Amino acid sequence: MKPAPFGYLRPESVAEACEALARHGEEARILAGGQSLGAMLNMRLVRPALLVDINRLDTLSKIEVTNEAVITGAMVRQADALADARIRNNVPLLSMALPHVGHYQTRNRGTLGGSVAHADPSAEIPLVLATLGGEVELKSARRTRRVRAGDFFRSALVTARAPEEVITELHWPAAAQRTRYAFEEFSVRGGDYAIVAVACALDEERRSVRFGFGGCGEAPQVVELGYDSEAIAQIAADAAGKIECRADLQASTAYRRNLAVVLARRVLTAASMRQAVSA
């Protein structure tokens, strides 16, 4: 199939994009990498009156490191983020997850902001942002606001972004001292959607561990528990027991929960053996 007819706008500034979204509201769609939207257009799952192409907005392709966070523009390509030493050194969990995102061909076009905006329940980038407690910056013609990832992802393909808003930045908390990270997922084939994905941040100083579970429910789910090196299997089971699991054509609820236990145990074991970010 081919897309239904639509208007096309390639704005020269974020302000121009916001003005177009304010005029057209829910009838407009933003085109970033297009790796998900393109397929949805072709299958006519979405039929926008206007497509707002933000690929020329270079201001949305920045990567900035501060004392507390790494700030990535919404248009940072996934392949560029994977190759960037600033992200690798300061947000190692994102670097661990990015090789699992689609295939290298799609990562060349796919963007960090586009993945967050799409909010697929199995997507790795939203999962990492939620696990780390990151934030999403949104801009409209009226205001700029920041929303915590835990509040941004509401359900499958549903977020807190209003129709007149564009995602401009993602704020990734910088790796904390004496914190170790790990990521693992299971899919039928490499590059397929994860049946279950689990991210882990082990804080040695606070003796706590944060798990992020993707693919299990309708949005990323984060569980924080106390850490005991002698009770890894029990901690993994307890964490997986606190999340919601859905059933679909790929897996039953029971299968997903069991897989969540297995992967949680693996990532916690890997994190406990990995060198901490900073002594």
Side-chain angles (χ1 to χ4, degrees), residues 248-270:
D248 57 22
L249 294 176
Q250 287 189 311
S252 66
T253 298
Y255 181 86
R256 269 199 168 87
R257 192 173 303 280
N258 184 67
L259 187 54
V261 173
V262 172
L263 294 184
R265 184 172 66 246
R266 287 182 183 176
V267 294
L268 183 52
T269 300

PDB file of all heavy atoms in Angstrom, residues 248-270:
ATOM      1  N   ASP A 248       0.427 -12.011  24.178  1.00  0.00           N
ATOM      2  CA  ASP A 248       0.155 -11.711  22.781  1.00  0.00           C
ATOM      3  C   ASP A 248       0.522 -12.927  21.946  1.00  0.00           C
ATOM      4  O   ASP A 248       0.706 -14.029  22.493  1.00  0.00           O
ATOM      5  CB  ASP A 248       0.899 -10.449  22.327  1.00  0.00           C
ATOM      6  CG  ASP A 248       2.409 -10.539  22.535  1.00  0.00           C
ATOM      7  OD1 ASP A 248       2.938 -11.670  22.632  1.00  0.00           O
ATOM      8  OD2 ASP A 248       3.076  -9.494  22.572  1.00  0.00           O
ATOM      9  N   LEU A 249       0.640 -12.768  20.644  1.00  0.00           N
ATOM     10  CA  LEU A 249       0.937 -13.897  19.772  1.00  0.00           C
ATOM     11  C   LEU A 249       2.336 -14.450  19.986  1.00  0.00           C
ATOM     12  O   LEU A 249       2.619 -15.598  19.633  1.00  0.00           O
ATOM     13  CB  LEU A 249       0.760 -13.486  18.301  1.00  0.00           C
ATOM     14  CG  LEU A 249      -0.669 -13.143  17.869  1.00  0.00           C
ATOM     15  CD1 LEU A 249      -0.677 -12.659  16.422  1.00  0.00           C
ATOM     16  CD2 LEU A 249      -1.597 -14.337  18.037  1.00  0.00           C
ATOM     17  N   GLN A 250       3.234 -13.650  20.575  1.00  0.00           N
ATOM     18  CA  GLN A 250       4.606 -14.097  20.777  1.00  0.00           C
ATOM     19  C   GLN A 250       4.795 -14.868  22.073  1.00  0.00           C
ATOM     20  O   GLN A 250       5.622 -15.777  22.133  1.00  0.00           O
ATOM     21  CB  GLN A 250       5.556 -12.895  20.768  1.00  0.00           C
ATOM     22  CG  GLN A 250       5.786 -12.277  19.398  1.00  0.00           C
ATOM     23  CD  GLN A 250       6.896 -11.254  19.441  1.00  0.00           C
ATOM     24  OE1 GLN A 250       6.921 -10.377  20.304  1.00  0.00           O
ATOM     25  NE2 GLN A 250       7.822 -11.348  18.501  1.00  0.00           N
ATOM     26  N   ALA A 251       4.066 -14.492  23.105  1.00  0.00           N
ATOM     27  CA  ALA A 251       4.328 -15.097  24.412  1.00  0.00           C
ATOM     28  C   ALA A 251       3.124 -14.948  25.326  1.00  0.00           C
ATOM     29  O   ALA A 251       2.371 -13.978  25.231  1.00  0.00           O
ATOM     30  CB  ALA A 251       5.550 -14.441  25.057  1.00  0.00           C
ATOM     31  N   SER A 252       2.985 -15.917  26.230  1.00  0.00           N
ATOM     32  CA  SER A 252       1.944 -15.849  27.250  1.00  0.00           C
ATOM     33  C   SER A 252       2.416 -14.983  28.407  1.00  0.00           C
ATOM     34  O   SER A 252       3.603 -14.650  28.525  1.00  0.00           O
ATOM     35  CB  SER A 252       1.623 -17.250  27.768  1.00  0.00           C
ATOM     36  OG  SER A 252       2.750 -17.783  28.453  1.00  0.00           O
ATOM     37  N   THR A 253       1.495 -14.653  29.289  1.00  0.00           N
ATOM     38  CA  THR A 253       1.858 -13.884  30.488  1.00  0.00           C
ATOM     39  C   THR A 253       2.876 -14.635  31.328  1.00  0.00           C
ATOM     40  O   THR A 253       3.867 -14.062  31.800  1.00  0.00           O
ATOM     41  CB  THR A 253       0.599 -13.589  31.316  1.00  0.00           C
ATOM     42  OG1 THR A 253      -0.304 -12.798  30.533  1.00  0.00           O
ATOM     43  CG2 THR A 253       0.944 -12.838  32.591  1.00  0.00           C
ATOM     44  N   ALA A 254       2.647 -15.926  31.529  1.00  0.00           N
ATOM     45  CA  ALA A 254       3.546 -16.724  32.359  1.00  0.00           C
ATOM     46  C   ALA A 254       4.934 -16.817  31.745  1.00  0.00           C
ATOM     47  O   ALA A 254       5.954 -16.738  32.449  1.00  0.00           O
ATOM     48  CB  ALA A 254       2.959 -18.122  32.561  1.00  0.00           C
ATOM     49  N   TYR A 255       5.003 -16.972  30.418  1.00  0.00           N
ATOM     50  CA  TYR A 255       6.301 -17.052  29.744  1.00  0.00           C
ATOM     51  C   TYR A 255       7.065 -15.750  29.913  1.00  0.00           C
ATOM     52  O   TYR A 255       8.265 -15.753  30.216  1.00  0.00           O
ATOM     53  CB  TYR A 255       6.085 -17.350  28.266  1.00  0.00           C
ATOM     54  CG  TYR A 255       7.368 -17.489  27.471  1.00  0.00           C
ATOM     55  CD1 TYR A 255       8.040 -18.691  27.387  1.00  0.00           C
ATOM     56  CD2 TYR A 255       7.916 -16.382  26.810  1.00  0.00           C
ATOM     57  CE1 TYR A 255       9.222 -18.819  26.669  1.00  0.00           C
ATOM     58  CE2 TYR A 255       9.093 -16.481  26.086  1.00  0.00           C
ATOM     59  CZ  TYR A 255       9.735 -17.711  26.020  1.00  0.00           C
ATOM     60  OH  TYR A 255      10.904 -17.816  25.311  1.00  0.00           O
ATOM     61  N   ARG A 256       6.376 -14.626  29.723  1.00  0.00           N
ATOM     62  CA  ARG A 256       7.046 -13.329  29.854  1.00  0.00           C
ATOM     63  C   ARG A 256       7.566 -13.126  31.272  1.00  0.00           C
ATOM     64  O   ARG A 256       8.669 -12.625  31.472  1.00  0.00           O
ATOM     65  CB  ARG A 256       6.091 -12.194  29.478  1.00  0.00           C
ATOM     66  CG  ARG A 256       6.141 -11.813  28.010  1.00  0.00           C
ATOM     67  CD  ARG A 256       5.558 -10.450  27.757  1.00  0.00           C
ATOM     68  NE  ARG A 256       5.875 -10.027  26.405  1.00  0.00           N
ATOM     69  CZ  ARG A 256       5.149 -10.315  25.336  1.00  0.00           C
ATOM     70  NH1 ARG A 256       4.042 -11.031  25.490  1.00  0.00           N
ATOM     71  NH2 ARG A 256       5.509  -9.901  24.141  1.00  0.00           N
ATOM     72  N   ARG A 257       6.767 -13.496  32.261  1.00  0.00           N
ATOM     73  CA  ARG A 257       7.213 -13.282  33.637  1.00  0.00           C
ATOM     74  C   ARG A 257       8.424 -14.159  33.951  1.00  0.00           C
ATOM     75  O   ARG A 257       9.377 -13.713  34.602  1.00  0.00           O
ATOM     76  CB  ARG A 257       6.088 -13.554  34.627  1.00  0.00           C
ATOM     77  CG  ARG A 257       6.432 -13.068  36.042  1.00  0.00           C
ATOM     78  CD  ARG A 257       5.253 -13.191  36.988  1.00  0.00           C
ATOM     79  NE  ARG A 257       4.086 -12.467  36.531  1.00  0.00           N
ATOM     80  CZ  ARG A 257       3.928 -11.156  36.672  1.00  0.00           C
ATOM     81  NH1 ARG A 257       4.884 -10.427  37.235  1.00  0.00           N
ATOM     82  NH2 ARG A 257       2.825 -10.572  36.245  1.00  0.00           N
ATOM     83  N   ASN A 258       8.399 -15.397  33.502  1.00  0.00           N
ATOM     84  CA  ASN A 258       9.536 -16.272  33.735  1.00  0.00           C
ATOM     85  C   ASN A 258      10.781 -15.745  33.033  1.00  0.00           C
ATOM     86  O   ASN A 258      11.889 -15.766  33.587  1.00  0.00           O
ATOM     87  CB  ASN A 258       9.226 -17.691  33.257  1.00  0.00           C
ATOM     88  CG  ASN A 258      10.347 -18.666  33.568  1.00  0.00           C
ATOM     89  OD1 ASN A 258      10.620 -18.962  34.725  1.00  0.00           O
ATOM     90  ND2 ASN A 258      11.000 -19.170  32.536  1.00  0.00           N
ATOM     91  N   LEU A 259      10.604 -15.253  31.803  1.00  0.00           N
ATOM     92  CA  LEU A 259      11.731 -14.681  31.062  1.00  0.00           C
ATOM     93  C   LEU A 259      12.252 -13.427  31.759  1.00  0.00           C
ATOM     94  O   LEU A 259      13.468 -13.185  31.799  1.00  0.00           O
ATOM     95  CB  LEU A 259      11.289 -14.361  29.636  1.00  0.00           C
ATOM     96  CG  LEU A 259      12.359 -13.905  28.645  1.00  0.00           C
ATOM     97  CD1 LEU A 259      13.521 -14.886  28.581  1.00  0.00           C
ATOM     98  CD2 LEU A 259      11.743 -13.718  27.258  1.00  0.00           C
ATOM     99  N   ALA A 260      11.361 -12.635  32.333  1.00  0.00           N
ATOM    100  CA  ALA A 260      11.780 -11.446  33.070  1.00  0.00           C
ATOM    101  C   ALA A 260      12.638 -11.821  34.272  1.00  0.00           C
ATOM    102  O   ALA A 260      13.631 -11.143  34.579  1.00  0.00           O
ATOM    103  CB  ALA A 260      10.556 -10.655  33.524  1.00  0.00           C
ATOM    104  N   VAL A 261      12.280 -12.906  34.954  1.00  0.00           N
ATOM    105  CA  VAL A 261      13.087 -13.379  36.090  1.00  0.00           C
ATOM    106  C   VAL A 261      14.481 -13.773  35.622  1.00  0.00           C
ATOM    107  O   VAL A 261      15.498 -13.390  36.216  1.00  0.00           O
ATOM    108  CB  VAL A 261      12.401 -14.569  36.789  1.00  0.00           C
ATOM    109  CG1 VAL A 261      13.321 -15.165  37.858  1.00  0.00           C
ATOM    110  CG2 VAL A 261      11.091 -14.149  37.425  1.00  0.00           C
ATOM    111  N   VAL A 262      14.539 -14.544  34.535  1.00  0.00           N
ATOM    112  CA  VAL A 262      15.825 -15.028  34.021  1.00  0.00           C
ATOM    113  C   VAL A 262      16.719 -13.866  33.607  1.00  0.00           C
ATOM    114  O   VAL A 262      17.906 -13.806  33.974  1.00  0.00           O
ATOM    115  CB  VAL A 262      15.601 -15.985  32.833  1.00  0.00           C
ATOM    116  CG1 VAL A 262      16.933 -16.334  32.159  1.00  0.00           C
ATOM    117  CG2 VAL A 262      14.902 -17.260  33.301  1.00  0.00           C
ATOM    118  N   LEU A 263      16.161 -12.918  32.849  1.00  0.00           N
ATOM    119  CA  LEU A 263      16.974 -11.802  32.378  1.00  0.00           C
ATOM    120  C   LEU A 263      17.362 -10.863  33.510  1.00  0.00           C
ATOM    121  O   LEU A 263      18.468 -10.309  33.515  1.00  0.00           O
ATOM    122  CB  LEU A 263      16.224 -11.040  31.286  1.00  0.00           C
ATOM    123  CG  LEU A 263      15.972 -11.800  29.982  1.00  0.00           C
ATOM    124  CD1 LEU A 263      15.301 -10.888  28.960  1.00  0.00           C
ATOM    125  CD2 LEU A 263      17.260 -12.370  29.414  1.00  0.00           C
ATOM    126  N   ALA A 264      16.473 -10.675  34.481  1.00  0.00           N
ATOM    127  CA  ALA A 264      16.820  -9.831  35.634  1.00  0.00           C
ATOM    128  C   ALA A 264      17.982 -10.438  36.406  1.00  0.00           C
ATOM    129  O   ALA A 264      18.885  -9.719  36.859  1.00  0.00           O
ATOM    130  CB  ALA A 264      15.602  -9.658  36.539  1.00  0.00           C
ATOM    131  N   ARG A 265      17.970 -11.738  36.551  1.00  0.00           N
ATOM    132  CA  ARG A 265      19.081 -12.396  37.238  1.00  0.00           C
ATOM    133  C   ARG A 265      20.379 -12.234  36.452  1.00  0.00           C
ATOM    134  O   ARG A 265      21.447 -11.973  37.026  1.00  0.00           O
ATOM    135  CB  ARG A 265      18.759 -13.876  37.448  1.00  0.00           C
ATOM    136  CG  ARG A 265      19.836 -14.627  38.253  1.00  0.00           C
ATOM    137  CD  ARG A 265      19.397 -16.025  38.616  1.00  0.00           C
ATOM    138  NE  ARG A 265      19.245 -16.881  37.439  1.00  0.00           N
ATOM    139  CZ  ARG A 265      18.088 -17.385  37.015  1.00  0.00           C
ATOM    140  NH1 ARG A 265      16.968 -17.109  37.668  1.00  0.00           N
ATOM    141  NH2 ARG A 265      18.047 -18.157  35.946  1.00  0.00           N
ATOM    142  N   ARG A 266      20.278 -12.351  35.139  1.00  0.00           N
ATOM    143  CA  ARG A 266      21.487 -12.235  34.310  1.00  0.00           C
ATOM    144  C   ARG A 266      22.076 -10.829  34.371  1.00  0.00           C
ATOM    145  O   ARG A 266      23.299 -10.669  34.508  1.00  0.00           O
ATOM    146  CB  ARG A 266      21.151 -12.589  32.859  1.00  0.00           C
ATOM    147  CG  ARG A 266      20.923 -14.066  32.613  1.00  0.00           C
ATOM    148  CD  ARG A 266      20.654 -14.307  31.130  1.00  0.00           C
ATOM    149  NE  ARG A 266      20.354 -15.698  30.849  1.00  0.00           N
ATOM    150  CZ  ARG A 266      20.015 -16.160  29.656  1.00  0.00           C
ATOM    151  NH1 ARG A 266      19.940 -15.330  28.615  1.00  0.00           N
ATOM    152  NH2 ARG A 266      19.760 -17.438  29.469  1.00  0.00           N
ATOM    153  N   VAL A 267      21.223  -9.808  34.249  1.00  0.00           N
ATOM    154  CA  VAL A 267      21.772  -8.443  34.229  1.00  0.00           C
ATOM    155  C   VAL A 267      22.308  -8.050  35.594  1.00  0.00           C
ATOM    156  O   VAL A 267      23.315  -7.341  35.684  1.00  0.00           O
ATOM    157  CB  VAL A 267      20.737  -7.409  33.725  1.00  0.00           C
ATOM    158  CG1 VAL A 267      20.387  -7.649  32.276  1.00  0.00           C
ATOM    159  CG2 VAL A 267      19.488  -7.388  34.593  1.00  0.00           C
ATOM    160  N   LEU A 268      21.659  -8.513  36.666  1.00  0.00           N
ATOM    161  CA  LEU A 268      22.165  -8.184  38.000  1.00  0.00           C
ATOM    162  C   LEU A 268      23.496  -8.885  38.249  1.00  0.00           C
ATOM    163  O   LEU A 268      24.421  -8.291  38.827  1.00  0.00           O
ATOM    164  CB  LEU A 268      21.142  -8.562  39.066  1.00  0.00           C
ATOM    165  CG  LEU A 268      21.515  -8.209  40.511  1.00  0.00           C
ATOM    166  CD1 LEU A 268      21.904  -6.737  40.636  1.00  0.00           C
ATOM    167  CD2 LEU A 268      20.370  -8.542  41.458  1.00  0.00           C
ATOM    168  N   THR A 269      23.611 -10.117  37.802  1.00  0.00           N
ATOM    169  CA  THR A 269      24.888 -10.830  37.925  1.00  0.00           C
ATOM    170  C   THR A 269      25.974 -10.124  37.121  1.00  0.00           C
ATOM    171  O   THR A 269      27.088  -9.919  37.606  1.00  0.00           O
ATOM    172  CB  THR A 269      24.734 -12.285  37.441  1.00  0.00           C
ATOM    173  OG1 THR A 269      23.753 -12.946  38.236  1.00  0.00           O
ATOM    174  CG2 THR A 269      26.056 -13.030  37.554  1.00  0.00           C
ATOM    175  N   ALA A 270      25.639  -9.734  35.888  1.00  0.00           N
ATOM    176  CA  ALA A 270      26.618  -9.047  35.043  1.00  0.00           C
ATOM    177  C   ALA A 270      27.031  -7.718  35.642  1.00  0.00           C
ATOM    178  O   ALA A 270      28.214  -7.360  35.649  1.00  0.00           O
ATOM    179  CB  ALA A 270      26.038  -8.842  33.645  1.00  0.00           C
TER     180      ALA A 270
END
